[in-house]
């Protein structure tokens, strides 16, 4: 009996393929991962070398290794490197959170913004800012707001125990609208000198980041925490009944994804503000490239999200320099047509 259950679990976690197809699929996935690593390195080189003061690759290498000096090294180490790391980490956080929500709900429209999690994080962070709290309390406020919005959405959607994915998404949209109203209220009550900065932050802004390493650490820990559950997520993507029949502790897995999604979103929103479409679009594109195996999808989506937001942030500060655009504007300009294209290809 145990052998049969093990065989069934393996069959559900890895869809059956023709002889040789599995090997080709793995090779393709490894090539995509290698391409994403190369793209991440290229995005970092672009982010560190581009700007009002162009830096050559030789000077960039000298600054990073500590053998260089002068204004170029100071700009790279104190301004561009923290900003690039923050953009990469937060892009990865949002993409990972979106991928987890989509597989949990079995709905490609699920992501932290649609479900109101990002709105809750924004409410918590802006509330802490208005209260004059220190940066640590702002981070805590963002996480509490994200977790509160998560519990509210899933609690309201659960109702009498008969919730569906559609009901959950509708509840998330309503909670997100409520969070948007709360944000508008706080902006109207904020001192005039803070309103512009708060608005810029709400549209996504990595220019003021000086300590990006906590976000990068949370990203690494989150990925390490969820990868051991990748097989169970594969089973859950086939349906809750199938997952339970094959021994998946669905309640524990849901709690993990809820809490981790709130944490990842809260850290991202606190670090760079509200940046949309990363958690929605990136998992779609990665899934088209390598399939729906979570063992590969989760790290690939994390890398792709980091690359996208790093490149978008670099473009935001260089396209119309010296004016710096909110990075959320560029991700929306990219995300809307891509999402519409995906809808035309997959109308269901």
């Amino acid at each position: 009996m145990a052998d049969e259950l093990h065989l069934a679990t393996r069959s559900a976690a890895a869809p059956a393929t023709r002889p040789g197809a599995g090997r080709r699929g793995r090779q393709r996935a490894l090539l995509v991962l290698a391409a994403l690593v190369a793209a991440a390195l290229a995005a970092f080189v672009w982010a560190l070398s581009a700007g009002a003061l162009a830096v050559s690759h030789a000077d960039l290498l000298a600054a990073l290794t500590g053998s260089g000096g002068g204004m170029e090294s100071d700009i790279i180490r104190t301004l561009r490197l923290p900003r690039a790391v923050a953009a990469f980490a937060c892009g990865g956080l949002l993409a990972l959170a979106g991928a987890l929500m989509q597989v949990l709900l079995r709905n490609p429209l699920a992501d932290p913004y649609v479900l109101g999690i990002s709105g809750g994080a924004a409410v918590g962070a802006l509330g802490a800012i208005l209260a004059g709290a220190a940066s640590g309390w702002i981070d805590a406020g963002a996480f509490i707001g994200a977790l509160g919005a998560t519990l509210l959405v899933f609690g309201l959607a659960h109702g009498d125990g008969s919730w569906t994915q559609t009901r959950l998404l509708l509840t998330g949209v309503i909670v997100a609208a409520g969070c948007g109203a709360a944000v508008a209220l706080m902006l109207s009550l904020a001192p005039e000198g803070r309103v512009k900065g708060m608005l810029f932050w709400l549209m996504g802004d990595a220019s003021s980041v000086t300590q990006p390493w906590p976000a990068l650490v949370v990203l690494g820990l989150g990925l390490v925490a969820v990868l051991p559950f990748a097989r169970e997520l594969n089973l859950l993507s086939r349906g809750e009944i199938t997952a339970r029949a094959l021994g998946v502790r669905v309640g524990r897995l849901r709690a993990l994804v809820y809490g981790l999604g709130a944490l990842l979103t809260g850290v991202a929103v606190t670090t760079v503000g509200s940046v949309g479409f990363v958690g929605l679009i990136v998992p779609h594109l990665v899934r088209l490239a390598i399939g729906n195996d979570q063992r590969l999808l989760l790290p690939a989506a994390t890398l792709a999200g980091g690359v996208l937001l790093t490149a978008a942030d670099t473009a935001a500060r260089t396209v119309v320099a010296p004016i710096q655009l909110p990075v959320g504007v560029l991700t929306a300009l990219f995300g809307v047509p891509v999402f519409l294209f995906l809808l035309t290809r997959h109308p269901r």
Side-chain angles (χ1 to χ4, degrees):
M1 182 66 179
D3 292 339
E4 293 176 0
L5 181 59
H6 178 66
L7 180 61
T9 303
R10 290 184 59 187
S11 299
T17 56
R18 299 186 304 273
R23 181 183 302 175
R24 289 194 297 271
R26 286 192 295 270
Q27 291 176 347
R28 180 181 180 183
L30 291 176
L31 286 175
V32 171
L33 287 173
L36 287 173
V37 171
L41 293 176
F44 267 99
V45 170
W46 183 32
L48 297 180
S49 59
L53 177 64
V55 178
S56 66
H57 291 171
D59 291 337
L60 174 59
L61 182 61
L64 293 177
T65 57
S67 59
M71 183 171 58
E72 293 88 350
S73 294
D74 291 338
I75 290 176
I76 291 172
R77 293 175 187 171
T78 61
L79 296 178
R80 294 183 184 175
L81 181 60
R83 182 167 181 168
V85 171
F88 181 86
C90 292
L93 289 169
L94 294 172
L96 180 57
L100 290 173
M101 291 296 173
Q102 288 174 14
V103 69
L104 178 67
L105 302 177
R106 300 176 63 203
N107 193 310
L109 290 178
D111 90 316
Y113 287 83
V114 174
L115 293 176
I117 302 175
S118 293
V123 170
L126 290 181
I129 292 173
L130 283 179
S135 59
W137 286 106
I138 296 175
D139 297 344
F143 173 67
I144 292 172
L147 184 59
T150 303
L151 296 176
L152 181 61
V153 168
F154 286 96
L156 292 176
H158 190 271
D160 58 0
S162 59
W163 68 274
T164 62
Q165 282 82 6
T166 301
R167 181 174 178 179
L168 184 64
L169 284 173
L170 290 175
T171 307
V173 170
I174 294 171
V175 171
C179 290
V183 167
L185 177 62
M186 284 188 284
L187 288 173
S188 65
L189 297 176
E192 187 175 349
R194 294 185 181 181
V195 172
K196 184 177 180 180
M198 293 170 70
L199 283 172
F200 207 84
W201 179 84
L202 283 172
M203 291 184 287
D205 178 26
S207 62
S208 60
V209 177
T210 58
Q211 294 295 331
W213 310 111
L216 190 62
V217 170
V218 170
L219 175 61
L221 293 177
L223 194 57
V224 169
V226 77
L227 279 179
F229 298 93
R231 285 184 177 272
E232 296 185 14
L233 289 169
N234 281 340
L235 295 172
L236 186 61
S237 68
R238 293 172 173 266
E240 182 177 332
I241 296 177
T242 301
R244 289 186 186 276
L246 293 173
V248 177
R249 298 171 61 182
V250 175
R252 182 191 67 174
L253 191 59
R254 278 181 178 168
L256 172 68
V257 174
Y258 295 166
L260 189 59
L263 176 62
L264 299 177
T265 305
V267 172
V269 171
T270 304
T271 305
V272 298
S274 295
V275 179
F277 286 96
V278 176
L280 183 64
I281 296 299
V282 170
H284 272 292
L285 298 177
V286 175
R287 196 175 291 113
L288 290 175
I290 65 174
N292 201 35
D293 187 347
Q294 304 303 313
R295 294 169 295 181
L296 296 171
L297 176 65
L298 295 178
T302 301
L303 281 171
V307 171
L308 173 61
L309 198 57
T310 304
D313 182 65
T314 305
R317 64 180 176 83
T318 58
V319 168
V320 290
I323 300 174
Q324 295 194 29
L325 299 174
V327 66
V329 173
L330 292 188
T331 58
L333 290 175
F334 169 78
V336 169
V338 170
F339 186 62
L340 293 176
F341 171 73
L342 292 174
L343 282 180
T344 59
R345 287 195 58 186
H346 305 280
R348 295 181 60 185

